[in-house]
Amino acid sequence: MAITGTAADSTDELLSQWRPQVFINFRGADLRIGLIGYLKEALIENNIKYYIDSEEPRGAPIEILFERIRESQIALVFFSIRYAESEWCLDELVEIMKNMEKGKLTVIPVFFKVEPGDVKGQKKEFGVALYGEGRRKRPRMPQWEDALEIIPTRMGLEFWEQSEEVVFRNKLIEAVKEVEAEIKKEYRGRERSSSSEPIRHLTGTTFLPVAYEQQRIEQLEERFCFDPAVTQILGIVGMAGIGKTILAQKHFDKWKKRLSVHQCVLGIHERSKNEEGPDWLIQELGDKIFKKKSFIFLDDVSEETQIESLLSKLHRIIKGSKIVITTRDKSWIGRLVDYTYVVPGLNDNEALQLFRHHAFRHEDDTSSQNIIKLSKKFVDYAGGNPRALEELGKELCGKDEAQWGERLETLPHCCNENIKRELKTSYDKLTDQQKDAFLDIACFFRSEDEDCVTSLLAAREIRDLADKFMITVSAGQIEMPLILCSLGKELGLFASVEDNLGQSRLWDHDTVINALVHNEEEDSTVRGILLDVSKLKDEISIATDKLTLMPNLRYLKIFDSRCPRQCKVVNVDDCKVHLPDELELPLEKIRYLHWLKFPSEQLPSDFNPENLVDLRLPYSKIERVWDVVKDTPNLKWVDLSHSTELEDLSALWKAESLQRLNLEGCIKLESLPEDMENMKSLAFLNLRGCTSLKSLPEMENLICLKTLILSGCSSFVEFQVKAKNLEHLHLDGTEIVKLPQEIKQLQRLIVLNLKDCVMLDGLPDCLYKLKALEELILSGCSRLRSFPEIKENMENLQILLLDGTNIRDVPKILLRCANSVDQLNFQRSPQMSGLSLLRRLCLSRNDMIRSLQSSISDLYHLKWIDLKYCEKLQSISMLPPNLQCLDAHGCTSLKTVASPLARLMPTEQVPSSFIFTNCEKLEHFSKNEITCYGHNKGRLLSETLNRHNKGLSFEALVSTCFPGSEVPAWFGHKASGALLEPELPRHWSENGFVGIALCAIVWFEEQKIRNNNLQVKCICDFNNVKTSSSYFNCPVGGLSETGDEQRTIHSTHVFIGYTNWLNIKKCQEEDGKKGCVPTKASIKFQVTDDIGEVRNCEVLKCGFSLVYETGSWELSSRTDEGEFEQGEVESLEMKVSKIKIANCGANTMRDNKVSGEASRSSTQS
């Protein structure tokens, strides 16, 4: 299958799919929340590729932003009043100016509430922002002034207070599209005038659109600024097939005319093997390179010695000469060159276009949807390598879907011949040790832990392979490109003296079975065996002496790819690989032994572990590792997890190099070796679920031990500090009664997990001395009734989980003040101590707490409080001001909350939720307070957004839910059922409008919440406003929690959400008429979970109100003439002072003087 058409058609198709990148330069504090947020949405809607600095991680250097500017073709520069205060913005502007002057970037300036002349002349408020009151001197001022003078001269747009955002945004999008069209037209014209072929080369044989080629050329040249006064050496590096040679060739062709001499030598690696004499390169280049400025291009240099004859004479090179070197090895070139450019692979879109260009050259590629899915799998396999994409496309061109599927099956272990030829040249350049490491990783260790692989293979070889782009080290794992992995598997399967492959690695299923069951002859070439038991149709038996026929075996891995942890089938009797009782295993070279469900009681007596590094026998039948103590000088990793018959580990006491020991689930293990102190390198010890383990031996010499896991050791009754450098200690599920006073010696302890220690009845009074502690878990410690006094601040403790305990006086845990005055001045008091930096507090299922005292409100950093199922809790005091979540689900005795519920203060825009589901005794007054606080906080957040710049935020800024069956009286629009169709008044979005309040009354029939995820949402459609936001989905509130415990909601509940809704500002004007038409809306409420709409519930009633920012919160209606009309709208207002926050809705809710009908009647302010 392929696409028919001319070369020009191919260019048009590819260019039509390519989009220029738009770089957005702005001062975040002025614009990020509002205009920029909506601009991003519009860019996405119009399929415009953009870049904004928030896409980079925090702390990223500004050079990365410069790189993004150089990658872009369009720049939007937003000048605001305080723009010039930001050195970051100004430095970006200078880079934008440089690229604009080179003709590489088109700039569209946007003047946001500032005069263009003030920017150009650095006058008025804009000038003050740049210079300060006294024309201060700032670094790089001349460059900034030049950029500020030049950029504003470009044609741009202006935005003022009276500007309509939707109209302005549409104009800006149209301006970007116009520039896009010009750029693509220019590229298309340049493409057709430069060659009869529509697609240019980026690699030696690979076709790419000129736009992609241009981008990489520009990236290269920005790294290598052509300076005719300085001698420069540039290195271009990358894996085989990535496009180094052609990229360098184009750079060479572009600049060579500026120098008198230009010499190009290709294929130096191959030529250096055939040429005679060490000076062949100098002889080919000639003496002229020492007489005039020269441009020298040296291609495919694999090592420094190949160009040593030139390097030794660099002092003779005329100043101002240039040398470009391409290589697949970055290890040696770094110390020689001035600049190094790593050629990147294609991104997913580029790769898919290139693959499809070659795979569908003669036919339409839309005949099968499955073909597109298959295409993406082939693209994933190629990993962005242009040469691989080209060859795969050509191989599949003209074949049907079935043939594509068949090829995909063989792809992991059968490399395309042309790709193999290209990649094998890299393999051939490796040393024998590097080849062994490469093949071992490809066949056995791809995606394995870096520490594990470097322990098995030489660390130097790992580093060398990474430098040669044959592997990568990512997130602590060794990875290998799939195209190289398939090459390695193919090369490693059979030994071949001619190819210098050394030893065979048996990973193919049929080959492995033949070697283990049928082969009768010695095979000294076998280096490793990989057997996936999930592919075994029948059980197999290994003969007694079968492994003795493989004297050089280093790696033996018998595993189950379907379920490595055997989470579904843990019965060891299911083992499909059987051994004779007298198995011989004299493997002197074995380094890695991984045998899932090893069927014998111990390893054979002739087993020699002298070279063993990694021993993994999970879910095995072993009772002991071997019968006598053996020297294990290299053993670093041992995994005997879930070996339910294991009783004795004494044979390992000489493992002085051991770093990780996993004994999880060894239920018969009663003790560890008394000589365990010899394991001085041990850093990780996992004893989870060792239910017979009663104590630990002396471990004081284990100075490297960082993690000790005793979770679920139900016979473990007494913990003693054995290793003082512990960082993570897990004692959850043990039978310990107390912790020793010596716990204070663990000064590096970060996590202390005591969850479900049901016998624990107290904590040591020195607990506060654990200064590094960040997480303390006491969940389920049902006997725990008190918490020791916090005498000194535990400045790092952020998570405290006390759910399921019976601790009575919670506030004493949290705070300790020098005196009462300090409580009133919490933020300023240097004497405040305790857990003042706590962020997460869990008190759920505590049957002793009856109230939360007011001191908890001083925890300014507290973000999350969990009070679920505190069935004796009757009242909640004032909450911390920065709280994001209060979960009081199932507090069946809760009656009252504080007034106000929490202090109001300007905070970052973070959604907050207050959950009171199943709190059936909650008083009406308390429900009003909850509603009032949510309204006021929602409005405060909306006003903050509004001050920055009005914008959209279709998330519930504040949401709450509680038992009830009525929409609060102050909602101006109400309806029965789930559909509400209010008609809004004229000019409703003017004069202080900041957002909306939404309400839904939902009936539940013992609703069990799937995955504890339930959301009440509304879908709003404006019938007569044609804007991009006339239809949207807005959450009202709900539950969202991770965890195994399933909640159930009883009866009928009220869900209220507050959100800002600031983009729909004007009603549509028709035919030039002045004024506007009343806006009709259709709002439909629904209840959803993580799968879809919930069926076992019903929305009985719903409500909608507009929220304004001025005055007091009371019921009012508004018209243009100042008259009051029923059913139009209400205004929810608030007065805030620095000292006290006024009680909300006192006359409408607290005194219950306003009925449902009053919400549609007039009330004077």
Side-chain angles (χ1 to χ4, degrees):
M1 300 173 64
I3 298 175
T4 58
T6 65
D9 291 335
S10 300
T11 299
D12 289 339
E13 178 190 354
L14 291 169
L15 279 172
S16 67
Q17 296 175 0
W18 174 77
R19 304 301 297 263
Q21 177 168 285
V22 180
F23 183 93
I24 304 177
N25 167 260
F26 67 102
R27 185 179 184 272
D30 294 340
L31 297 164
R32 188 185 303 276
I33 295 178
L35 185 61
I36 298 299
Y38 313 141
L39 176 62
K40 288 167 60 178
E41 293 177 4
L43 291 170
I44 293 171
E45 288 174 6
N46 288 274
N47 195 28
I48 296 174
K49 183 179 177 183
Y50 72 92
Y51 173 83
I52 194 168
D53 60 7
S54 59
E55 297 175 2
E56 297 293 347
R58 291 187 179 273
I62 195 170
E63 286 75 19
I64 292 180
L65 300 181
F66 291 171
E67 185 71 22
R68 300 297 176 261
I69 292 171
R70 292 189 285 266
E71 293 171 358
S72 302
Q73 292 77 36
I74 304 172
L76 289 178
V77 179
F78 286 81
F79 292 112
S80 54
I81 291 292
R82 298 173 61 189
Y83 174 95
E85 290 180 356
S86 170
E87 294 186 4
W88 197 284
C89 287
L90 293 169
D91 287 338
E92 284 183 0
L93 189 68
V94 172
E95 186 66 23
I96 288 170
M97 178 187 67
K98 291 178 181 178
N99 286 269
M100 181 187 74
E101 291 177 337
K102 294 176 182 178
K104 299 177 180 179
L105 193 65
T106 301
V107 181
I108 303 175
V110 179
F111 302 94
F112 183 81
K113 301 179 183 179
V114 62
E115 289 285 352
D118 293 348
V119 177
K120 187 174 184 297
Q122 298 99 57
K123 298 183 297 186
K124 298 182 181 179
E125 290 182 81
F126 190 92
V128 172
L130 178 64
Y131 300 111
E133 295 295 339
R135 293 192 70 84
R136 58 182 169 171
K137 292 184 177 180
R138 297 169 68 186
R140 303 179 296 285
M141 185 66 82
Q143 298 97 307
W144 296 344
E145 290 173 336
D146 289 344
L148 289 170
E149 186 174 348
I150 292 172
I151 297 295
T153 61
R154 302 285 162 157
M155 291 292 293
L157 298 173
E158 296 181 28
F159 181 92
W160 294 99
E161 201 70 55
Q162 65 274 19
S163 301
E164 296 185 16
E165 280 189 14
V166 174
V167 175
F168 176 81
R169 191 182 63 213
N170 291 339
K171 288 182 179 178
L172 190 53
I173 293 297
E174 288 303 316
V176 172
K177 286 183 175 179
E178 289 177 8
V179 175
E180 262 196 341
E182 288 298 320
I183 291 173
K184 295 176 78 170
K185 181 179 179 181
E186 178 185 350
Y187 276 135
R188 188 175 287 109
R190 186 191 310 168
E191 181 65 28
R192 287 174 173 166
S193 63
S194 62
S195 172
S196 58
E197 281 290 326
I199 307 294
R200 289 187 177 183
H201 293 281
L202 183 62
T203 66
T205 58
T206 300
F207 298 113
L208 281 178
V210 64
Y212 299 144
E213 173 189 320
Q214 182 75 14
Q215 185 182 58
R216 283 158 177 79
I217 290 286
E218 289 176 359
Q219 291 175 358
L220 169 65
E221 292 179 350
E222 287 298 334
R223 298 282 182 88
F224 186 63
C225 298
F226 198 95
D227 187 348
V230 180
T231 300
Q232 296 170 301
I233 305 178
L234 169 66
I236 300 178
V237 299
M239 71 177 298
I242 205 69
K244 301 178 298 297
T245 300
I246 295 301
L247 187 61
Q249 182 74 58
K250 289 186 177 295
H251 176 69
F252 176 75
D253 291 342
K254 179 177 179 179
W255 295 100
K256 65 182 181 181
K257 295 179 182 179
R258 298 184 59 175
L259 300 175
S260 302
V261 178
H262 33 87
Q263 292 286 89
C264 174
V265 184
L266 301 177
I268 288 180
H269 171 75
E270 288 299 324
R271 292 190 59 181
S272 63
K273 293 190 294 185
N274 301 323
E275 299 287 350
E276 294 185 2
D279 295 330
W280 73 268
L281 180 59
I282 288 292
Q283 294 172 6
E284 176 149 337
L285 292 173
D287 290 341
K288 54 189 175 183
I289 64 171
F290 302 121
K291 298 176 181 178
K292 296 180 179 181
K293 288 185 180 181
S294 305
F295 197 145
I296 303 171
F297 171 26
L298 306 176
D299 173 59
D300 193 23
V301 183
S302 58
E303 56 186 70
E304 186 177 348
T305 56
Q306 294 168 356
I307 56 173
E308 181 60 36
S309 59
L310 175 61
L311 296 177
S312 64
K313 296 178 175 61
L314 281 180
H315 61 281
R316 295 180 55 192
I317 296 287
I318 302 299
K319 187 177 182 181
S321 294
K322 313 298 172 188
I323 302 175
V324 174
I325 304 170
T326 66
T327 181
R328 302 179 186 182
D329 187 353
K330 64 182 179 182
S331 63
W332 60 270
I333 199 171
R335 59 181 178 270
L336 299 179
V337 300
D338 301 301
Y339 310 94
T340 300
Y341 178 70
V342 180
V343 181
L346 304 179
N347 63 36
D348 290 345
N349 290 333
E350 296 169 353
L352 186 59
Q353 289 177 24
L354 179 61
F355 173 78
R356 291 170 65 179
H357 171 74
H358 291 286
F360 306 110
R361 186 176 293 277
H362 304 300
E363 296 179 20
D364 187 2
D365 66 336
T366 59
S367 57
S368 169
Q369 289 296 322
N370 195 42
I371 282 287
I372 304 302
K373 295 181 181 179
L374 292 172
S375 295
K376 292 180 179 179
K377 293 182 179 181
F378 282 104
V379 167
D380 289 341
Y381 168 80
N385 187 291
R387 180 67 189 278
L389 289 161
E390 176 188 359
E391 294 300 336
L392 286 172
K394 289 179 178 178
E395 179 184 348
L396 296 166
C397 184
K399 295 183 178 179
D400 59 30
E401 185 176 317
Q403 291 172 307
W404 278 47
E406 292 171 2
R407 182 64 179 100
L408 193 63
E409 291 293 323
T410 63
L411 205 56
H413 50 79
C414 184
C415 195
N416 172 280
E417 286 299 320
N418 291 331
I419 298 175
K420 183 198 298 185
R421 190 178 303 110
E422 180 78 18
L423 297 178
K424 195 170 180 298
T425 58
S426 294
Y427 174 85
D428 291 337
K429 296 176 185 179
L430 301 178
T431 65
D432 289 345
Q433 293 80 7
Q434 291 168 350
K435 287 178 180 178
D436 279 338
F438 170 75
L439 297 177
D440 288 345
I441 293 171
C443 296
F444 303 126
F445 303 123
R446 183 175 178 267
S447 298
E448 283 281 359
D449 185 274
E450 177 188 4
D451 292 336
C452 171
V453 178
T454 52
S455 297
L456 292 166
L457 311 173
R460 179 177 178 179
E461 267 67 58
I462 300 296
R463 185 175 61 252
D464 289 344
L465 291 175
D467 286 339
K468 297 176 188 298
F469 301 94
M470 303 194 77
I471 64 170
T472 59
V473 180
S474 176
Q477 288 189 318
I478 302 294
E479 299 293 349
M480 179 180 287
L482 289 172
I483 53 175
L484 282 168
C485 193
S486 60
L487 170 72
K489 284 187 173 182
E490 197 167 344
L491 295 177
L493 188 56
F494 300 106
S496 172
V497 176
E498 294 80 17
D499 290 337
N500 193 29
L501 301 185
Q503 298 163 318
S504 60
R505 293 149 179 87
L506 309 184
W507 53 264
D508 177 71
H509 185 73
D510 294 334
T511 306
V512 170
I513 297 302
N514 182 65
L516 292 178
V517 178
H518 305 298
N519 185 43
E520 301 293 340
E521 299 178 359
E522 180 175 307
D523 188 352
S524 60
T525 66
V526 177
R527 182 183 179 91
I529 293 177
L530 186 77
L531 175 62
D532 185 355
V533 295
S534 68
K535 296 180 180 179
L536 283 176
K537 296 180 181 179
D538 302 309
E539 297 179 355
I540 65 170
S541 295
I542 299 177
T544 300
D545 62 344
K546 196 61 63 176
L547 293 174
T548 64
L549 301 176
M550 306 175 191
N552 291 318
L553 188 67
R554 290 189 175 207
Y555 315 117
L556 176 59
K557 183 174 183 178
I558 300 175
F559 72 110
D560 187 341
S561 62
R562 293 174 306 178
C563 187
R565 296 188 178 185
Q566 300 294 281
C567 56
K568 294 182 179 179
V569 183
V570 295
N571 188 350
V572 294
D573 292 331
D574 290 337
C575 179
K576 293 183 178 180
V577 181
H578 300 287
L579 297 175
D581 294 336
E582 64 278 8
L583 174 69
E584 297 176 6
L585 203 64
L587 303 176
E588 295 183 0
K589 295 186 178 181
I590 192 77
R591 297 172 62 80
Y592 176 83
L593 177 58
H594 179 178
W595 197 317
L596 179 71
K597 296 182 179 180
F598 184 73
S600 300
E601 295 178 358
Q602 64 183 32
L603 289 170
S605 57
D606 61 347
F607 181 79
N608 184 351
E610 184 175 351
N611 291 303
L612 188 65
V613 174
D614 195 332
L615 175 63
R616 306 188 194 191
L617 304 175
Y619 298 93
S620 68
K621 275 190 174 183
I622 62 166
E623 298 176 4
R624 64 193 64 81
V625 182
W626 39 71
D627 53 356
V628 295
V629 177
K630 297 187 178 185
D631 289 330
T632 53
N634 298 300
L635 188 60
K636 295 182 178 180
W637 306 66
V638 172
D639 180 2
L640 305 174
S641 59
H642 303 287
S643 296
T644 54
E645 302 298 321
L646 182 68
E647 297 178 348
D648 184 9
L649 272 179
S650 58
L652 287 177
W653 73 267
K654 284 189 176 183
E656 297 183 1
S657 299
L658 190 64
Q659 297 176 7
R660 294 177 63 93
L661 178 58
N662 185 2
L663 300 170
E664 179 176 346
C666 296
I667 57 177
K668 286 191 177 182
L669 187 67
E670 296 184 3
S671 62
L672 297 178
E674 288 298 326
D675 296 318
M676 196 170 181
E677 283 190 304
N678 293 327
M679 301 179 183
K680 297 179 182 180
S681 300
L682 190 65
F684 177 89
L685 176 58
N686 183 6
L687 297 162
R688 183 189 304 272
C690 294
T691 52
S692 299
L693 187 71
K694 297 179 180 179
S695 62
L696 297 176
E698 291 298 322
M699 295 182 175
E700 290 188 5
N701 287 345
L702 303 188
I703 58 176
C704 295
L705 189 61
K706 299 291 191 300
T707 300
L708 175 59
I709 302 175
L710 291 161
S711 307
C713 294
S714 54
S715 299
F716 195 85
V717 296
E718 183 179 9
F719 174 76
Q720 296 294 331
V721 175
K722 304 286 187 177
K724 297 181 181 179
N725 291 325
L726 282 176
E727 295 178 359
H728 297 81
L729 175 58
H730 296 267
L731 296 169
D732 48 308
T734 63
E735 295 292 300
I736 62 171
V737 177
K738 62 180 180 179
L739 291 175
Q741 290 290 328
E742 291 77 18
I743 194 81
K744 63 186 178 184
Q745 297 175 5
L746 303 181
Q747 287 300 299
R748 298 184 180 181
L749 193 64
I750 297 172
V751 175
L752 176 57
N753 185 358
L754 297 166
K755 181 179 180 180
D756 294 329
C757 290
V758 294
M759 303 303 293
L760 184 70
D761 57 15
L763 296 170
D765 56 13
C766 61
L767 194 67
Y768 65 88
K769 291 186 177 294
L770 299 176
K771 298 299 185 182
L773 195 64
E774 296 179 7
E775 187 172 343
L776 177 58
I777 304 173
L778 296 167
S779 308
C781 296
S782 54
R783 290 195 178 187
L784 199 60
R785 296 179 177 273
S786 63
F787 198 94
E789 182 180 358
I790 306 298
K791 298 179 180 179
E792 298 175 9
N793 195 13
M794 299 179 72
E795 61 267 18
N796 289 307
L797 190 63
Q798 298 182 34
I799 299 175
L800 177 59
L801 306 184
L802 300 172
D803 48 308
T805 67
N806 283 302
I807 295 175
R808 295 172 179 267
D809 198 353
V810 175
K812 285 185 179 180
I813 303 172
L814 307 176
L815 301 172
R816 186 186 73 84
C817 304
N819 52 56
S820 59
V821 176
D822 286 333
Q823 283 198 351
L824 299 176
N825 301 280
F826 173 78
Q827 288 179 303
R828 298 187 297 273
S829 172
Q831 296 176 308
M832 173 62 69
S833 61
L835 309 181
S836 56
L837 294 182
L838 199 65
R839 294 179 179 272
R840 180 171 179 143
L841 174 64
C842 183
L843 300 169
S844 66
R845 296 193 182 279
N846 188 312
D847 291 333
M848 304 303 295
I849 298 177
R850 284 171 169 75
S851 66
L852 288 185
Q853 299 304 316
S854 59
S855 57
I856 199 171
S857 65
D858 289 328
L859 295 174
Y860 278 69
H861 297 281
L862 193 60
K863 304 290 185 184
W864 186 84
I865 299 179
D866 186 352
L867 298 171
K868 291 193 307 291
Y869 305 110
C870 290
E871 296 183 353
K872 299 290 181 64
L873 181 68
Q874 297 178 7
S875 65
I876 294 177
S877 61
M878 186 182 292
L879 297 171
N882 294 314
L883 195 67
Q884 293 174 15
C885 180
L886 170 70
D887 191 348
H889 172 79
C891 293
T892 53
S893 299
L894 182 64
K895 296 180 179 180
T896 62
V897 299
S899 176
L901 184 61
R903 302 176 190 175
L904 276 177
M905 57 186 297
T907 58
E908 56 184 331
Q909 185 203 348
V910 178
S912 300
S913 60
F914 300 89
I915 301 168
F916 294 93
T917 44
N918 291 357
C919 296
E920 300 292 347
K921 293 186 178 181
L922 199 62
E923 295 178 354
H924 182 70
F925 171 81
S926 296
K927 295 177 184 178
N928 288 346
E929 287 297 339
I930 295 166
T931 305
C932 173
Y933 174 76
H935 170 271
N936 287 344
K937 183 168 185 179
R939 177 166 48 193
L940 192 63
L941 291 175
S942 291
E943 289 176 356
T944 301
L945 289 172
N946 195 28
R947 281 194 302 272
H948 286 94
N949 189 51
K950 292 184 178 181
L952 287 170
S953 177
F954 294 143
E955 62 182 350
L957 293 177
V958 182
S959 63
T960 185
C961 50
F962 49 78
S965 57
E966 295 296 331
V967 176
W970 48 266
F971 273 88
H973 302 272
K974 304 177 186 178
S976 296
L979 181 63
L980 184 66
E981 295 181 320
E983 183 169 324
L984 304 181
R986 298 181 294 277
H987 307 297
W988 59 267
S989 63
E990 298 179 1
N991 300 326
F993 168 74
V994 293
I996 60 171
L998 297 162
C999 178
I1001 310 300
V1002 184
W1003 170 80
F1004 296 96
E1005 184 182 7
E1006 295 295 314
Q1007 178 66 41
K1008 292 185 177 180
I1009 310 302
R1010 185 185 287 112
N1011 296 331
N1012 287 331
N1013 184 8
L1014 179 139
Q1015 296 292 326
V1016 179
K1017 298 180 178 180
C1018 78
I1019 300 173
C1020 182
D1021 184 17
F1022 273 79
N1023 301 333
N1024 60 349
V1025 177
K1026 305 301 182 184
T1027 73
S1028 60
S1029 300
S1030 61
Y1031 176 90
F1032 68 90
N1033 189 325
C1034 176
V1036 179
L1039 311 174
S1040 182
E1041 179 192 52
T1042 58
D1044 299 328
E1045 187 177 36
Q1046 188 176 54
R1047 300 191 194 193
T1048 300
I1049 298 184
H1050 313 291
S1051 70
T1052 305
H1053 278 69
V1054 180
F1055 291 82
I1056 300 177
Y1058 305 89
T1059 183
N1060 68 331
W1061 199 28
L1062 306 175
N1063 194 46
I1064 306 171
K1065 301 174 59 179
K1066 300 286 186 181
C1067 295
Q1068 183 184 22
E1069 297 186 3
E1070 297 180 0
D1071 302 325
K1073 295 179 181 179
K1074 294 184 179 179
C1076 58
V1077 179
T1079 301
K1080 295 180 180 180
S1082 174
I1083 304 174
K1084 184 179 180 181
F1085 292 82
Q1086 61 181 11
V1087 183
T1088 65
D1089 57 18
D1090 55 355
I1091 293 181
E1093 191 167 356
V1094 177
R1095 302 296 181 187
N1096 252 1
C1097 65
E1098 181 183 355
V1099 178
L1100 301 178
K1101 304 175 184 178
C1102 55
F1104 167 89
S1105 270
L1106 303 176
V1107 181
Y1108 293 86
E1109 65 184 3
T1110 58
S1112 61
W1113 185 20
E1114 58 190 11
L1115 302 172
S1116 65
S1117 298
R1118 298 150 35 112
T1119 67
D1120 288 342
E1121 291 76 19
E1123 299 176 358
F1124 300 99
E1125 299 180 3
Q1126 284 192 344
E1128 278 198 331
V1129 65
E1130 69 165 348
S1131 174
L1132 309 179
E1133 315 294 356
M1134 175 184 70
K1135 289 181 178 178
V1136 181
S1137 68
K1138 293 183 179 178
I1139 299 174
K1140 183 178 180 181
I1141 298 173
N1143 292 329
C1144 304
N1147 59 343
T1148 60
M1149 299 198 304
R1150 197 172 298 169
D1151 298 334
N1152 197 26
K1153 292 183 179 178
V1154 179
S1155 65
E1157 290 77 12
S1159 66
R1160 291 174 173 82
S1161 64
S1162 62
T1163 303
Q1164 268 188 316
S1165 300

